[in-house]
Amino acid sequence: MKKITIAVDGFSSTGKSTLAKQLAKALGYVYVDTGAMYRAVTLFAMRNGFVGGERDNVSALIRLLPKIQLKFKYNDALGFSEMYLNGENVEKEIRTLDVSNNVSSIAEIEQVRHKLVDLQKKMGKEKGIVMDGRDIGTVVFPDAELKIFMTASPEKRAYRRYKELLDRGEKVKYEDVLENVEKRDFIDSNREFSPLKKAKGAIEFDNSDMGLKEQFERIQNYALRVIEKQK
Ligand code: DC
């Protein structure tokens, strides 16, 4: 059966990665979380003092971009790929609220986007991939056979992220998480280079009031119909 490319875009905490992982598993496709790549570059920038300081942060980071090596390595025990930054497993560090608070300003940098989009295009060359992010259907794979655009109310999304962070042992306040979600929505949707928007031909899913199971089943059926048509 011919393999397709599936692009999953949408606002933060809409469950893109949960859905993309489920789809990839069901179809036997590769899953790529592009947010993890932007988060890893952000962690690198934070560790090197390029975020929040007085220096010319952006140009210093751009100069060091060729030295940033990003790799996904599949973890058999966990059943998903983990993010490695210059050989170090940073899967936990990149998911903190601290990184979330800085990632949008790093993801706005044109050169950062170029580097990561190039890598993402290479990963998808063979098709058989489910990639999630903000610009997958618009920039990375504009010819993807299936494009999904996910939304949900900011409050629902903040609550989901809040619970996730608490489960991971981070001490956070709901109000801070909501503020982060709304701020990231604004920056991600209004930035100059590849802003978050619904791609041409994308199917929109608002899962404010939809369970994960129902959502997955509906999208999986859709994907199977698209794959069937490729024969
Ligand atoms: O999916 P996420 O919340 O882990 O993504 C983190 C941030 O990275 C998000 O606020 C915007 C940015 N991002 C992006 O600009 N383009 C992508 N393809 C993926 C993520």
Side-chain angles (χ1 to χ4, degrees):
M1 196 160 291
K2 225 172 154 187
K3 291 193 167 182
I4 64 166
T5 300
I6 303 179
V8 182
D9 289 303
F11 293 98
S12 38
S13 306
T14 42
K16 296 185 297 295
S17 62
T18 306
L19 170 82
K21 264 185 216 159
Q22 287 174 318
L23 265 183
K25 197 170 171 200
L27 299 171
Y29 282 17
V30 172
Y31 162 63
V32 177
D33 168 8
T34 61
M37 300 168 80
Y38 288 93
R39 286 172 179 273
V41 175
T42 304
L43 183 67
F44 177 91
M46 288 165 68
R47 284 177 172 176
N48 286 282
F50 299 151
V51 170
E54 306 243 307
R55 343 220 296 246
D56 184 4
N57 302 323
V58 172
S59 52
L61 175 63
I62 292 169
R63 267 199 307 281
L64 283 180
L65 273 179
K67 298 227 178 300
I68 302 181
Q69 192 213 53
L70 302 173
K71 278 233 165 80
F72 284 105
K73 269 193 216 159
Y74 192 76
N75 181 326
D76 257 335
L78 294 174
F80 62 85
S81 294
E82 296 178 295
M83 183 82 248
Y84 282 74
L85 166 65
N86 291 335
E88 176 194 350
N89 183 336
V90 290
E91 190 55 38
K92 279 210 180 72
E93 287 86 341
I94 59 172
R95 310 285 170 193
T96 61
L97 190 55
D98 224 11
V99 170
S100 297
N101 279 330
N102 290 303
V103 65
S104 284
S105 59
I106 298 296
E108 292 193 286
I109 303 168
E110 187 185 11
Q111 290 84 346
V112 170
R113 301 207 72 82
H114 273 157
K115 178 183 168 97
L116 300 197
V117 168
D118 274 355
L119 283 170
Q120 291 153 11
K121 284 186 188 228
K122 281 188 193 125
M123 291 176 192
K125 257 191 169 153
E126 310 292 327
K127 293 191 178 271
I129 194 164
V130 186
M131 193 174 273
D132 84 44
R134 304 292 187 289
D135 58 345
I136 312 306
T138 51
V139 176
V140 182
F141 300 128
D143 298 326
E145 290 84 354
L146 178 58
K147 298 177 187 178
I148 313 278
F149 189 79
M150 296 178 66
T151 64
S153 72
E155 291 76 16
K156 284 263 160 84
R157 292 187 281 128
Y159 187 67
R160 288 175 195 159
R161 183 55 65 109
Y162 168 69
K163 279 205 336 211
E164 219 175 273
L165 289 166
L166 284 189
D167 285 350
R168 260 192 242 134
E170 257 204 83
K171 289 189 180 64
V172 288
K173 284 200 287 204
Y174 167 77
E175 292 73 28
D176 292 341
V177 180
L178 179 62
E179 189 185 327
N180 172 261
V181 162
E182 289 179 329
K183 203 166 143 200
R184 278 206 286 155
D185 284 357
F186 182 83
I187 303 177
D188 294 347
S189 312
N190 291 283
R191 65 176 174 230
E192 188 180 353
F193 305 106
S194 31
L196 168 66
K197 59 173 190 248
K198 190 175 157 186
K200 221 174 131 217
I203 315 161
E204 187 166 336
F205 266 89
D206 183 331
N207 60 22
S208 301
D209 300 304
M210 200 188 288
L212 281 180
K213 191 167 175 277
E214 183 191 347
Q215 168 180 275
F216 170 63
E217 283 168 2
R218 284 173 64 171
I219 299 180
Q220 186 190 27
N221 283 338
Y222 207 91
L224 291 174
R225 284 208 299 276
V226 175
I227 292 169
E228 188 71 18
K229 275 196 207 139
Q230 307 298 312
K231 281 194 282 182

